[in-house]
Amino acid sequence: MAFSSTITSYSKAGDKIVTRGTYTNGNGETGGDIDTGLAICEFIQLQPSGSSVIATAPVVNETLPVAGSAVTVVTADNEDGYWRAEGY
């Protein structure tokens, strides 16, 4: 299974839009593109899920701000988690 992400909520904070979602990696996958639903993503936070400690932290492989339709992230093999993005 390939890397995938899903938007789970949208909200507004002042003049910014905040989106939240999940990401899922298949076995052997180490990241991919998150579609935040934003035109421009100014901030994104990644939080791995699960009950064990992770060996490496997930990272954003972009210089922000960036087009919100494809924010590239790098994760540990088979890591799933949550994300939160802000922008407009």
Side-chain angles (χ1 to χ4, degrees):
M1 184 170 116
F3 180 89
S4 65
S5 69
T6 303
I7 296 171
T8 58
S9 71
Y10 287 91
S11 62
K12 206 156 163 93
D15 63 344
K16 301 291 182 185
I17 299 171
V18 178
T19 57
R20 292 175 177 81
T22 60
Y23 64 88
T24 304
N25 273 313
N27 199 10
E29 296 294 322
T30 57
D33 289 340
I34 292 177
D35 181 355
T36 66
L38 302 169
I40 299 294
C41 179
E42 297 178 314
F43 168 84
I44 187 165
Q45 177 182 21
L46 306 172
Q47 176 64 51
S49 62
S51 60
S52 61
V53 175
I54 60 166
T56 58
V59 297
V60 177
N61 195 19
E62 301 280 3
T63 300
L64 298 175
V66 66
S69 60
V71 179
T72 304
V73 299
V74 178
T75 66
D77 181 22
N78 205 30
E79 176 188 289
D80 299 337
Y82 307 97
W83 59 266
R84 178 182 176 275
E86 294 179 18
Y88 51 93

